[in-house]
Amino acid sequence: METGSRLKYIAERFCLDGKPSEVRPLGDGFINDTYVVELENSALRYILQRKNTGIFQNIPEMMDNIQAVTTHLKRKITEAGGDPLKETLTLIPACDGKPYYEENGEFWCVTVFIEDALTYQSADTPELAYQGGCGIGRFQAMLADFQGDLVDTLPGFHNIKYRFSQWDRTLAEDSTGRAKDVRGLIAEIESRRPDMLGFYEFIESGRIPLRVTHNDTKIANMLFDRDGKVLCMLDLDTVLRAPCIYDFGDSIRSYANTGLEDDPVPDNVSMSRLMYDSFLKGYLSEAGDFLTEDERMALPFSAVYITFEQVLRFLMDYIDGDRYYRIKYPDHNLVRTVAQLRLLRSIETQLLPHNRYYVK
Ligand code: GN1
Ligand code: MG
């Protein structure tokens, strides 16, 4: 835990509009450490974040990506008559002009705190799911003509071939000896290996284009306004050139889940068809114009694919000794695995019978 005075010292390394009076922790992120910064004589607030150097190997490039993408988004938002300070993140430079501050191998960044906005952990109305779909569709549409450079800071992020290579290594090492306790779950992963690799081959064959996408589109990463519309996409660490269907699939994991991502009661978890359809309708209303026929056809399987990937990643981290995702209690990654597997089965039952055309 950082002391308040150290956090204030870090905040003061940035071009803030005043002197920090208080810095306190915010939210529940699995990866970075996030704080709110308040100023002595101003109502303006900021978000201070320490980026996870274990996970992000090249933070300067990642921050350059975020800078480039938010600059582009600000132009699009302004052209459309929107508010660029509320509808996308605003990076505050450090005193040396860089979009981050580095000290002792730690990397920090600051963004403007967006006031009067709401966040959700799950969607409880079809309208919210519809608006979530519109939000991610709009985000992708605004980035459709982004021409700048983006460094692939997370190679293989949603590439299941790469995830299986990590998986095979983790199982071979079995550093915690936990593999023997989760044989049934391992078998669930293995039984789907051919289908998942088949879908990835279909993507890799070039049938699905690379676009500029978010890659971490759970509902908690979106800010909503008081009318229930998506105001701003948060957490841009994973913005990369990737297939846009991954954003759709990842959204379904939270928007259409009747339970929680880490629900301790697996029976709470299933895919709500109503929420799925509402999200899809919203997404197509904004993305329908640029999606190709192949992308459109691959949307249902993308929900299977990304949910499967999440089951694999949570179980892999459990077997690996909980080194990637922050946990709140000893078996948290196992609980997450079981809950996401329930969701996967429910998505498969409801969506797969009609959507196997690209799986061998
Ligand atoms: C992480 O950063 P956060 O908490 O939004 C993870 C995602 C997972 C998600 C599971 C960089 O997202 O890929 O889907 O947890 N981000 C990274 O909730 O690994
Ligand atoms: Mg993230």
Side-chain angles (χ1 to χ4, degrees):
M1 216 1 141
E2 294 291 344
T3 61
S5 57
R6 167 149 169 85
L7 290 168
K8 271 192 219 168
Y9 162 83
I10 297 289
E12 283 164 0
R13 306 302 109 197
F14 290 84
C15 297
L16 307 184
D17 248 22
K19 200 171 161 43
S21 58
E22 204 195 331
V23 184
R24 58 192 153 71
L26 176 80
D28 236 3
F30 294 5
I31 308 277
N32 300 317
D33 299 310
T34 307
Y35 305 88
V36 187
V37 180
E38 297 194 357
L39 298 183
E40 267 172 15
N41 293 310
S42 161
L44 203 63
R45 299 196 284 172
Y46 299 92
I47 295 287
L48 170 69
Q49 213 171 39
R50 177 173 40 202
K51 299 293 184 185
N52 185 320
T53 45
I55 289 176
F56 303 117
Q57 307 292 323
N58 32 9
I59 294 175
E61 288 85 351
M62 177 173 98
M63 297 309 299
D64 284 347
N65 285 354
I66 298 176
Q67 182 79 278
V69 162
T70 52
T71 301
H72 179 92
L73 289 171
K74 282 182 188 302
R75 189 165 51 74
K76 299 297 260 195
I77 292 163
T78 307
E79 278 166 15
D83 182 345
L85 278 175
K86 281 191 172 285
E87 296 174 34
T88 189
L89 295 180
T90 303
L91 283 174
I92 300 296
C95 301
D96 63 2
K98 291 188 183 146
Y100 59 88
Y101 173 68
E102 181 190 359
E103 192 179 286
N104 301 333
E106 294 187 336
F107 287 81
W108 299 83
C109 75
V110 170
T111 54
V112 171
F113 187 104
I114 299 169
E115 304 286 348
D116 295 323
L118 303 168
T119 52
Y120 298 89
Q121 296 304 314
S122 59
D124 43 14
T125 65
E127 177 59 20
L128 199 71
Y130 175 82
Q131 291 299 343
C134 296
I136 190 64
R138 213 159 41 235
F139 179 82
Q140 292 178 346
M142 281 194 290
L143 289 169
D145 61 347
F146 177 88
Q147 300 290 340
D149 289 333
L150 280 185
V151 178
D152 186 3
T153 51
L154 294 163
F157 194 59
H158 287 308
N159 170 345
I160 211 68
K161 230 157 66 179
Y162 168 70
R163 294 296 179 193
F164 270 119
S165 68
Q166 290 184 310
W167 166 259
D168 290 338
R169 231 179 304 127
T170 304
L171 283 190
E173 274 176 26
D174 190 15
S175 60
T176 54
R178 284 173 168 174
K180 63 179 179 328
D181 306 327
V182 291
R183 291 272 165 241
L185 293 170
I186 293 173
E188 292 274 0
I189 302 273
E190 292 299 341
S191 67
R192 291 165 174 85
R193 189 190 285 245
D195 271 9
M196 299 304 152
L197 290 174
F199 185 66
Y200 186 71
E201 255 175 48
F202 168 77
I203 291 172
E204 220 184 11
S205 71
R207 296 273 294 275
I208 302 288
L210 298 185
R211 301 184 187 278
V212 180
T213 62
H214 186 284
N215 293 296
D216 188 4
T217 51
K218 59 186 179 188
I219 190 170
N221 282 338
M222 302 185 194
L223 272 187
F224 288 79
D225 66 18
R226 302 215 172 255
D227 298 328
K229 294 198 167 54
V230 173
L231 180 65
C232 176
M233 294 298 302
L234 304 174
D235 192 5
L236 303 179
D237 298 348
T238 50
V239 170
L240 301 167
R241 291 191 199 278
C244 66
I245 58 174
Y246 295 158
D247 282 355
F248 177 83
D250 203 9
S251 300
I252 295 306
R253 284 197 317 109
S254 54
Y255 277 94
N257 190 346
T258 56
L260 301 173
E261 187 185 62
D262 60 350
D263 212 305
V265 183
D267 280 350
N268 289 344
V269 177
S270 64
M271 185 192 88
S272 157
R273 184 69 208 225
L274 175 61
M275 294 296 197
Y276 176 87
D277 288 338
S278 306
F279 187 92
L280 175 63
K281 195 168 160 209
Y283 180 64
L284 290 178
S285 75
E286 296 283 346
D289 285 349
F290 65 77
L291 289 182
T292 65
E293 183 60 16
D294 278 328
E295 286 175 307
R296 196 183 281 261
M297 293 296 284
L299 290 177
F301 202 90
S302 74
V304 175
Y305 177 87
I306 294 287
T307 308
F308 171 84
E309 184 200 318
Q310 198 62 71
V311 176
L312 183 153
R313 289 176 69 196
F314 282 149
L315 186 59
M316 182 161 73
D317 197 32
Y318 179 72
I319 294 169
D320 200 33
D322 308 307
R323 288 195 267 181
Y324 190 97
Y325 291 110
R326 183 173 298 143
I327 54 169
K328 290 189 179 159
Y329 51 89
D331 279 350
H332 200 172
N333 273 319
L334 187 57
V335 170
R336 286 167 171 154
T337 305
V338 171
Q340 289 287 289
L341 179 61
R342 269 302 179 99
L343 181 66
L344 175 63
R345 288 198 195 124
S346 175
I347 299 175
E348 286 171 339
T349 310
Q350 296 182 71
L351 299 182
L352 272 195
H354 317 290
N355 290 287
R356 304 188 64 91
Y357 86 117
Y358 31 75
V359 173
K360 284 177 198 136

